[in-house]
Amino acid sequence: MNLLEKLDAAAAARKALLPNGVGAFGIPIEEIFSATEARIGDRRVLLMGTNNYLGLTFAPECIRAAHEAIDKEGTGTTGSRMANGSYFGHRALEREFADFYQCSSSIVFTTGYQANLGTISGLVGPGDTVLIDGDSHASIFDGCILSGANIIRFKHNDMADMEKRLRRLGDNIETTLIIAEGIYSMLGDQAPLADIVQLKNKYGGILLLDEAHSLGVLGKSGQGLVETTGLLNEVDFITGTFSKSLCSIGGFCVSNHPQLEQLRYVSHPYIFTASPSPATIASTRAALELLRKGSHLRDKLWSNCRQLYAQLKEVGYQLGPDPGPVIAAVVATPQQALLLWQQLLEHNIYVNLILPPAAPEGKSLVRCSVNAAHTTEEIRYVGDTFAKLYGAINMQT
Amino acid sequence: MTESNYDEIMKLLCDRLSDLANADVLITPETNLINQLSIDSIKLLNLIMEVEDAFDISIPINVLTDVQTVRELADLVHKIKITSS
């Protein structure tokens, strides 16, 4: 089989799962009206499949900051941070992230994906070890592959399993990076951070926590899982993204280890890419300010999360263990998931469809992402529609 | 590590792969894990975790890139087991 035939085989497998040209992946959004509404085809739909957790995509403060940055600094930096792409705004945002996490060092990356890729591949290399959760995001996995380190997985959120693997590492623990996530993107569950820290302190190693989905969502000031658990000082490196609660694009790493600065000189995903545009940096800075002061947004977000989670649970849907902004209905077959996804769209609700092998344990997911801008009525409509479809699609089988 | 241990590794792999693959596929040492068994990457990674537990070893998943057949996987597990004991 040549290179192109391999792609044909993969395309055939995808089409077998999604017959009749169903465009569940990469669906074209024709117009975007607000943080919660858009047009898909000729339908005005309720957006229940974005990562816009605080609903800030149209925040006037962020839009104004982006406009001003374009006017003053142009549309792009046309260079990497290492060369000509390190403007005042990039450095200011790094200071603001360091201050937000009460850390001494911070690095801004061009995307959240690159934040993990660059941090992990900068911290570990061939001969070192990374111990990662079995449900880790692709950016973590790809960062591990890029690093050339030995990759060991433990069962998702299973601390007995993690301990077994830590024990087997023996002396290699000295050069081991442990990686977990504040909120996991598939089922929306949180890492058992206190237990992970306890094991790290017992066996050793360096701990990196990815707060991509938990930044802005967890904690009084929105720091993430480190804040709700009070374990900020026990985590060695925190990474995150601007493309969820901060509503732009980019990523960061913060740490109290001064060695973080060295990553600027060894991390290819940091060095060999253009820096974020001035408008991106400006809107992110404005959004970070809103996020820090946004306890009212978090209150509304969590009220929405609890409402939808309770409604779907009561109907009988199999969900992740706890309510949160990611609420995924676990469905037995890809056909059922596709049907549910299509029917929701027929009812003007856009959610995410996740099919094997992307979903854990060979299941399929129909995943909602709740945000603070959804109204109570909108959440109720989504819950009522899921309830109506449960029987129609015979979800219990 | 003795020959009987190698046989034990091969038997475990064949048994578990039989469970994961279609019933009509006969698993032999020369069976190609990807082309013949069509096992998706996640199932294969989960199988590696089972093998780690069965033999109390660490199998870095990045070293699997050179593994194509059941025999090559058994050889890898055998080698790691020998060096770790």
Side-chain angles (χ1 to χ4, degrees):
Chain A
M1 199 186 287
N2 69 29
L3 293 178
L4 299 179
E5 286 166 346
K6 282 185 191 175
L7 287 174
D8 286 340
R14 174 174 54 81
K15 282 174 187 160
L17 273 177
L18 296 173
N20 307 322
V22 174
F25 303 127
I27 194 163
I29 291 179
E30 307 296 349
E31 280 183 274
I32 187 98
F33 301 119
S34 69
T36 56
E37 286 188 300
R39 179 167 69 81
I40 292 177
D42 56 5
R43 292 178 181 284
R44 191 178 180 104
V45 300
L46 181 60
L47 293 170
M48 290 298 298
T50 72
N51 302 306
N52 186 9
Y53 298 131
L54 298 182
L56 295 177
T57 42
F58 286 82
E61 297 90 335
C62 302
I63 290 173
R64 191 164 50 244
H67 280 167
E68 286 173 5
I70 286 182
D71 289 343
K72 283 185 190 162
E73 299 174 78
T75 53
T77 66
T78 76
S80 70
R81 295 293 306 280
M82 196 70 140
N84 60 300
S86 218
Y87 290 7
F88 171 83
H90 299 91
R91 301 186 319 270
L93 182 56
E94 284 174 344
R95 286 192 297 274
E96 285 154 10
F97 262 107
D99 176 66
F100 180 47
Y101 280 105
Q102 300 141 46
C103 283
S104 56
S105 298
S106 162
I107 296 184
V108 161
F109 292 85
T110 301
T111 68
Y113 176 83
Q114 283 166 290
N116 276 336
L117 216 61
T119 303
I120 295 166
S121 64
L123 287 173
V124 291
D128 302 331
T129 302
V130 280
L131 182 64
I132 63 172
D133 187 282
D135 280 6
S136 289
H137 188 264
S139 60
I140 291 173
F141 192 77
D142 291 354
C144 295
I145 293 284
L146 180 65
S147 75
N150 291 324
I151 307 165
I152 306 288
R153 292 166 81 233
F154 59 91
K155 286 182 189 164
H156 174 56
N157 274 353
D158 184 331
M159 292 300 97
D161 197 73
M162 180 182 164
E163 181 162 17
K164 239 181 343 196
R165 284 165 170 76
L166 275 170
R167 178 182 52 74
R168 285 180 196 141
L169 289 175
D171 292 342
N172 289 330
I173 194 68
E174 266 193 46
T175 52
T176 294
L177 177 67
I178 303 163
I179 306 177
E181 295 175 50
I183 290 179
Y184 285 89
S185 60
M186 288 292 123
L187 294 174
D189 47 345
Q190 299 173 20
L193 188 59
D195 297 333
I196 291 173
V197 164
Q198 196 177 18
L199 288 176
K200 185 201 94 156
N201 290 339
K202 180 176 173 185
Y203 289 91
I206 293 279
L207 176 59
L208 184 155
L209 184 71
D210 179 357
E211 297 269 24
H213 287 269
S214 35
L215 169 68
V217 166
L218 296 176
K220 192 162 180 283
S221 68
Q223 286 175 331
L225 189 60
V226 288
E227 190 172 8
T228 52
T229 55
L231 293 168
L232 177 62
N233 292 328
E234 298 284 348
V235 175
D236 296 282
F237 295 89
I238 297 170
T239 57
T241 179
F242 306 162
S243 58
K244 296 179 172 48
S245 287
L246 293 170
C247 297
S248 65
I249 184 166
F252 70 90
C253 178
V254 296
S255 178
N256 273 320
H257 293 293
Q259 292 86 351
L260 177 63
E261 283 298 311
Q262 182 60 17
L263 261 58
R264 296 186 197 272
Y265 304 94
V266 299
S267 170
H268 283 203
Y270 173 81
I271 299 168
F272 295 103
T273 192
S275 63
S277 73
T280 295
I281 292 293
S283 77
T284 305
R285 292 182 65 195
L288 182 59
E289 192 61 33
L290 295 175
L291 181 152
R292 295 178 81 151
K293 296 186 297 193
S295 58
H296 60 293
L297 297 173
R298 278 181 281 287
D299 289 346
K300 176 59 180 161
L301 169 65
W302 278 94
S303 165
N304 285 345
C305 298
R306 282 188 282 268
Q307 183 188 340
L308 185 61
Y309 186 91
Q311 210 173 342
L312 299 195
K313 192 91 183 163
E314 191 182 344
V315 173
Y317 281 99
Q318 187 191 333
L319 306 174
D322 301 302
V326 176
I327 300 176
V330 183
V331 179
T333 69
Q335 291 75 22
Q336 281 178 315
L338 180 59
L339 193 55
L340 179 57
W341 180 86
Q342 285 174 317
Q343 288 293 311
L344 286 164
L345 196 56
E346 291 286 315
H347 287 79
N348 303 321
I349 299 168
Y350 170 74
V351 297
N352 300 130
L353 175 67
I354 298 159
L355 302 178
E361 294 172 12
K363 302 278 188 175
S364 298
L365 303 178
V366 175
R367 184 180 66 180
C368 301
S369 297
V370 178
N371 90 38
H374 287 128
T375 65
T376 303
E377 293 69 32
E378 285 169 340
I379 295 291
R380 188 177 303 123
Y381 173 69
V382 173
D384 288 346
T385 308
F386 264 94
K388 189 162 73 178
L389 296 174
Y390 187 83
I393 298 176
N394 202 14
M395 297 301 297
Q396 58 273 51
T397 57
Chain B
M1 192 80 181
T2 64
E3 199 174 311
S4 65
N5 292 128
Y6 185 86
D7 293 344
E8 195 187 334
I9 292 168
M10 184 63 84
K11 182 175 183 321
L12 175 85
L13 290 177
C14 289
D15 288 350
R16 289 299 296 119
L17 287 166
S18 294
D19 295 341
L20 295 174
N22 290 332
D24 54 348
V25 178
L26 178 68
I27 310 289
T28 73
E30 305 317 317
T31 303
N32 187 295
L33 294 166
I34 307 300
N35 295 345
Q36 287 177 267
L37 296 185
S38 300
I39 293 176
D40 72 47
S41 53
I42 299 296
K43 281 184 184 162
L44 187 59
L45 294 181
N46 290 340
L47 170 64
I48 293 302
M49 292 167 93
E50 278 186 49
V51 176
E52 285 182 317
D53 290 347
F55 297 103
D56 198 27
I57 53 175
S58 297
I59 307 173
I61 55 183
N62 44 303
V63 301
L64 293 172
T65 47
D66 294 332
V67 170
Q68 299 261 326
T69 65
V70 178
R71 186 188 301 283
E72 286 168 353
L73 182 54
D75 289 348
L76 174 70
V77 174
H78 189 216
K79 188 176 152 196
I80 291 173
K81 181 66 186 164
I82 286 171
T83 50
S84 67
S85 52

